[in-house]
Amino acid sequence: MENKQLVSLAKQYGTPLYVYDADKMAEQYNRLNDAFHGVNLKIKYAAKALSNISVLKWMKQQGAGLDVVSIQEAHLGIKAGYEPKDILYTPNCVSINEIIEAVDLGLMINIDNISILEQFGHKYKDSVPCCVRLNPHIMAGGNSKISTGHIDSKFGISILQMRHLLRVIDTYNINVVGLHIHTGSDILDSEVFLRGTEIIFEAAEDFPDLEFIDFGSGFKVAYRAGDVTTDIESLGKELSKRFKDFCIQRGKDLELWFEPGKFLVSESGYFLASVNVIKTTPATVFVGIDTGMNHLLRPMMYDAYHSIENISNPSSTERVYTVVGYICETDTFGTDRKLSEVRENDIIAIKNAGAYGFSMASNYNSRFRPAEVLVQNGKDYLIRKREEMDDLLKNQILVDFE
Ligand SMILES: *Cc1c(COP(=O)(O)O)cnc(C)c1O
């Protein structure tokens, strides 16, 4: 998006502000959709990346289904207009009660441990189709917190437990219609993906009733210039070919699912903040902005790099700054960044903030969570109001002590 347009949105709605460019989301959606040929591709948007109900609705209009990790996300999806059957419920370490709730809603259930699968089988036998999440133990992912496939990971049913898994499925006559892997976020290259696929194709031989295989997500996007990203086009080409062969071998046309979050929404997002203060210390020049780790946690939580620009004064002399938040904790957005000269009240844009930005925001320090705006074809839509004092107080109880 143009700096001018972003600055004017910041003026109109105030800061801090999340802005999402729907045209960029459409570009990413179409790129993924177009990369696969001759296969029955289904895209299930991973709601947790950016779960605003208007974004969910927008994704549905593109033709997406939904991948949810909690029952509350499923309710948001249904509210946004999804058919329950188009929602894949992929939780981790939830109770059987939440699984039962999901079955009652009519979601497709993805089970990621044998204990719950046994309880599921005991209750439903073959009456409710389900998917199982396998862990192929492929080490991938940009950061140990977001890689899910390694041997120490809590996710999925280990490929090494296949015998046990099949025993449980046979004993209860469980109807497994889908196999799933998700090896983590920020997987570098399609080679890793393809290794995972070979493992799942082999495992599939023991599952005669499959209707789909879900290859998860983890597509890497560029956070800084020159970052290696997933080559979706070449992945699409290679995986389509391999998947077609697999379907021919089985004599059945299965669906190929993906559940991207970051790939679809990350680059569409701009997080806008105002400069409160320029603070010069003996060691550095800080740019203090009107937000912090409470609104964008990724730099602090994952050491994520987000590029930062001064969009109010883009063509002045560059200087070196460290951009920090207003939280009473060290919440650094970027250290030693070259920014076009920053003045108090300038608007700063933090890029690539569409995924795991607002959805991980909190009220820490009792700050209001930001507003969110979606821009489509040059028109801006407010999709979430900025919070107010009432929102902070809503569930708090002021006790009358004796
Ligand atoms: C988080 C998650 C995703 C989305 O991952 P991205 O890296 O955002 O694409 C997909 N599937 C599952 C099961 C997830 O937990």
Side-chain angles (χ1 to χ4, degrees):
M1 286 178 72
E2 302 280 326
N3 287 344
K4 255 188 153 148
Q5 189 183 9
L6 290 169
V7 170
S8 107
L9 289 169
K11 294 253 147 66
Q12 184 183 347
Y13 294 101
T15 57
L17 180 71
Y18 274 99
V19 176
Y20 311 116
D21 176 6
D23 300 336
K24 181 66 188 173
M25 296 190 321
E27 184 189 317
Q28 293 295 94
Y29 188 92
N30 294 333
R31 242 185 97 194
L32 182 58
N33 217 13
D34 295 346
F36 290 80
H37 290 282
V39 293
N40 197 351
L41 176 73
K42 293 268 187 287
I43 298 174
K44 306 272 165 181
Y45 169 57
K48 75 175 189 286
L50 171 55
S51 51
N52 185 292
I53 53 172
S54 285
V55 172
L56 301 186
K57 179 175 173 180
W58 184 93
M59 286 290 174
K60 181 173 186 301
Q61 284 178 355
Q62 313 306 302
L66 212 57
D67 178 72
V68 303
V69 292
S70 72
I71 202 79
Q72 290 80 7
E73 271 184 5
H75 282 292
L76 289 177
I78 290 166
K79 185 123 194 140
Y82 289 83
E83 297 285 337
K85 66 170 178 48
D86 294 329
I87 302 177
L88 178 69
Y89 173 65
T90 306
N92 175 257
C93 289
V94 300
S95 71
I96 186 70
N97 294 332
E98 195 169 306
I99 304 252
I100 292 167
E101 247 183 276
V103 170
D104 291 344
L105 281 176
L107 314 181
M108 173 57 72
I109 313 294
N110 192 0
I111 296 180
D112 105 320
N113 66 80
I114 290 179
S115 171
I116 292 284
L117 187 68
E118 284 193 275
Q119 295 172 61
F120 182 89
H122 179 72
K123 187 165 170 69
Y124 297 112
K125 315 278 183 303
D126 62 352
S127 68
V128 178
C130 72
C131 173
V132 293
R133 176 174 187 168
L134 298 177
N135 189 333
H137 302 308
I138 288 174
M139 185 55 198
N143 180 298
S144 69
K145 289 189 188 113
I146 52 176
S147 69
T148 59
H150 54 85
I151 195 81
D152 293 321
S153 167
K154 67 166 183 163
F155 293 97
I157 296 169
S158 169
I159 203 83
L160 304 171
Q161 289 172 293
M162 195 50 91
R163 293 282 298 145
H164 186 190
L165 173 63
L166 292 172
R167 281 210 163 87
V168 168
I169 290 168
D170 281 348
T171 306
Y172 291 103
N173 200 21
I174 297 168
N175 182 15
V176 178
V177 296
L179 287 183
H180 170 267
I181 51 168
H182 172 65
T183 35
S185 284
D186 271 359
I187 295 167
L188 211 64
D189 56 68
S190 38
E191 195 262 331
V192 175
F193 248 110
L194 294 168
R195 254 194 294 153
T197 61
E198 287 314 314
I199 294 172
I200 209 165
F201 285 139
E202 200 182 309
E205 286 171 19
D206 289 316
F207 296 86
D209 302 318
L210 291 185
E211 289 164 12
F212 66 88
I213 295 183
D214 181 342
F215 293 98
S217 176
F219 304 121
K220 196 168 156 63
V221 301
Y223 280 90
R224 55 177 120 197
D227 268 1
V228 182
T229 60
T230 310
D231 185 344
I232 293 290
E233 286 70 24
S234 100
L235 175 69
K237 222 168 158 179
E238 289 183 54
L239 185 52
S240 304
K241 185 167 160 291
R242 186 63 188 83
F243 196 78
K244 266 188 282 187
D245 288 346
F246 168 79
C247 291
I248 290 167
Q249 254 173 25
R250 278 180 83 100
K252 184 176 175 187
D253 248 344
L254 273 67
E255 292 177 355
L256 192 171
W257 292 14
F258 273 117
E259 41 186 46
K262 186 179 278 184
F263 179 80
L264 296 179
V265 298
S266 179
E267 290 159 298
S268 80
Y270 299 81
F271 185 43
L272 307 181
S274 300
V275 176
N276 282 341
V277 63
I278 308 287
K279 176 170 176 173
T280 304
T281 70
T284 188
V285 182
F286 288 105
V287 172
I289 57 180
D290 66 347
T291 179
M293 61 186 283
N294 51 332
H295 298 152
L296 178 63
L297 187 60
R298 298 191 74 259
M300 305 87 194
M301 174 103 169
Y302 306 124
D303 284 331
Y305 181 98
H306 285 260
S307 89
I308 303 176
E309 273 180 43
N310 179 4
I311 57 172
S312 291
N313 190 26
S315 41
S316 187
T317 313
E318 284 188 337
R319 291 172 186 274
V320 178
Y321 300 97
T322 289
V323 180
V324 295
Y326 61 12
I327 292 296
C328 292
E329 219 168 296
T330 300
D331 54 346
T332 305
F333 288 105
T335 305
D336 293 344
R337 298 296 184 89
K338 276 192 287 185
L339 302 182
S340 181
E341 178 159 17
V342 184
R343 305 153 308 183
E344 291 173 1
N345 300 314
D346 278 353
I347 305 293
I348 296 293
I350 302 178
K351 302 230 180 129
N352 237 315
Y356 309 103
F358 189 95
S359 66
M360 293 180 83
S362 76
N363 291 114
Y364 187 42
N365 278 209
S366 296
R367 294 285 184 179
F368 304 142
R369 288 185 304 164
E372 294 179 285
V373 168
L374 184 133
V375 179
Q376 179 170 252
N377 299 329
K379 188 168 161 35
D380 50 282
Y381 302 87
L382 182 65
I383 58 173
R384 185 192 302 265
K385 288 194 292 187
R386 184 177 309 287
E387 287 180 339
E388 299 174 344
M389 207 56 216
D390 282 348
D391 297 307
L392 288 187
L393 288 167
K394 189 159 171 268
N395 295 318
Q396 301 199 50
I397 297 164
L398 191 61
V399 171
D400 275 328
F401 296 106
E402 308 264 298

